[in-house]
Amino acid sequence: MKRPDHLLATIAAMVESQHTSRMSLTVVIPGAVITGRLAPEALWKERVAEVLRDSEHLGRFAAAFTPPEGGGDRRPEHDDGPTHLHFHMARILQGSFGIPDTGGMYRVALEDVSAWTVGDIGYSDQ
């Protein structure tokens, strides 16, 4: 198993501990470049659940992203530090275009990141 970049894992842990979604990051993973804002895992799951609940055909899958009834536990699933980056308002860069236009929700394994930089990489909507 490949070990994730220690500095990147530290950034992910800071996003989780500070419950902030203001950190912009661009990562290179096999087959894609993703750029967007990082979100704490609990917030990311909450947003994904909202999107699924609004879907006529996918609503039942929202339960996989929702904490158990009566349990207010919103901690990440791994107590020994984050294993994934959770992007929202993110785009996959393809040439000079970012898809989807509206931004998406992506979960990326830290160990799959081969390169990264702080900030969003610009893209063209034309």
Side-chain angles (χ1 to χ4, degrees):
M1 179 197 251
K2 194 167 79 168
R3 294 186 68 182
D5 178 288
H6 177 71
L7 184 53
L8 186 57
T10 300
I11 291 170
M14 290 177 75
V15 168
E16 287 295 334
S17 69
Q18 296 175 13
H19 305 290
T20 181
S21 60
R22 306 285 301 163
M23 180 65 170
S24 295
L25 199 70
T26 300
V27 298
V28 177
I29 59 171
V33 175
I34 298 176
T35 189
R37 282 194 194 165
L38 293 178
E41 183 177 350
L43 175 63
W44 184 85
K45 285 179 175 180
E46 185 177 302
R47 297 272 167 83
V48 171
E50 288 171 7
V51 170
L52 292 172
R53 269 193 299 275
D54 290 343
S55 170
E56 179 182 341
H57 301 290
L58 301 175
R60 67 176 179 248
F61 291 100
F65 297 89
T66 307
E69 286 294 319
D73 188 1
R74 303 296 284 173
R75 288 178 299 150
E77 55 194 49
H78 301 284
D79 289 332
D80 55 345
T83 59
H84 291 77
L85 298 170
H86 296 87
F87 285 90
H88 72 114
M89 297 172 37
R91 292 175 174 83
I92 296 175
L93 299 180
Q94 294 290 319
S96 62
F97 296 97
I99 41 182
D101 289 338
T102 57
M105 307 288 285
Y106 299 100
R107 177 176 160 119
V108 175
L110 282 167
E111 66 183 25
D112 290 340
V113 176
S114 60
W116 60 275
T117 188
V118 172
D120 289 332
I121 291 182
Y123 56 91
S124 170
D125 289 333
Q126 301 173 0

